[in-house]
Amino acid sequence: MRIEKTLSIIKPDIVKKNQIGEIINFLEKKGLKVVGMKMVHLTIQKAKRFYQEHQNRPFFEGMVKFMCSSPVVVMCLEGENAIKLNREIMGATNPHEAKEGTIRKIYGKNIEANAIHGSDSEEAAEQEINFFLKANYSINKIKN
Ligand code: ADP
Ligand code: MG
């Protein structure tokens, strides 16, 4: 058993459709616990820093603009194998290629408006949680 933390972001397409609650409900029902959460409206500069690994990709500017088109909900999720489990629950990057029953299949519109972000490795999870939720008070210890 391996309890991990991962970073999740509910993207602007979901926020604009008033579906934040549905996504959180979906993640919780799959066994992921929300241990940190905040709503932020990213600046272009901050979104570029967050996605810097993609800075040379052709979609970079458009994707950054999309991520800044409304507030987003940033969450730290905790659970057994949370990083991999969250990626499975999310589904493939392109909603059209995502498996049935995944968040991106159900809620995603296209490869840009794909509903949700999730850390893809232990290193990314640690770095991304620090990026958004660094202060100790923003991650809680919850006893069941
Ligand atoms: P993931 O979010 O599944 O980890 P990536 O890290 O490869 O995917 O890409 C980061 C984000 O960039 C994706 O979630 C998506 O919103 C956007 N993106 C990736 N590829 C494309 C593309 N070909 N066209 C437009 N946006 C893209
Ligand atoms: Mg990624």
Side-chain angles (χ1 to χ4, degrees):
M1 244 191 265
R2 192 177 155 74
I3 302 295
E4 294 175 336
K5 288 183 176 62
T6 191
L7 189 92
S8 173
I9 304 177
I10 300 178
K11 294 190 179 184
D13 49 322
I14 296 297
V15 175
K16 288 173 195 169
K17 290 188 288 181
N18 302 354
Q19 289 176 327
I20 294 171
E22 280 187 49
I23 299 296
I24 295 174
N25 193 235
F26 200 105
L27 293 165
E28 289 187 330
K29 278 194 175 149
K30 297 279 185 183
L32 288 167
K33 184 175 285 293
V34 179
V35 295
M37 175 158 69
K38 69 178 176 188
M39 194 166 198
V40 289
H41 199 153
L42 290 172
T43 59
I44 294 281
Q45 195 187 20
K46 188 156 182 174
K48 281 187 173 172
R49 247 193 310 133
F50 183 74
Y51 278 117
Q52 61 186 320
E53 65 173 300
H54 297 301
Q55 62 186 325
N56 296 321
R57 311 281 289 277
F59 60 81
F60 183 67
E61 297 286 335
M63 182 260 278
V64 162
K65 207 171 157 204
F66 167 71
M67 289 300 292
C68 298
S69 66
S70 86
V72 296
V73 178
V74 178
M75 294 179 289
C76 179
L77 304 175
E78 188 182 76
E80 245 177 76
N81 297 313
I83 299 166
K84 187 160 174 278
L85 173 62
N86 183 45
R87 294 288 304 194
E88 283 168 8
I89 297 168
M90 288 163 55
T93 306
N94 186 344
H96 303 299
E97 290 163 12
K99 281 192 197 144
E100 291 297 331
T102 61
I103 289 177
R104 282 169 164 171
K105 182 72 177 184
I106 299 167
Y107 295 97
K109 186 175 164 210
N110 55 46
I111 196 164
E112 183 176 271
N114 64 357
I116 193 161
H117 165 86
S119 311
D120 64 2
S121 67
E122 272 183 57
E123 301 70 49
E126 197 190 339
Q127 193 246 314
E128 292 177 358
I129 290 166
N130 283 336
F131 186 91
F132 279 112
L133 303 165
K134 204 168 193 170
N136 286 335
Y137 62 78
S138 56
I139 297 185
N140 303 297
K141 287 192 171 42
I142 301 166
K143 283 188 181 164
N144 286 313

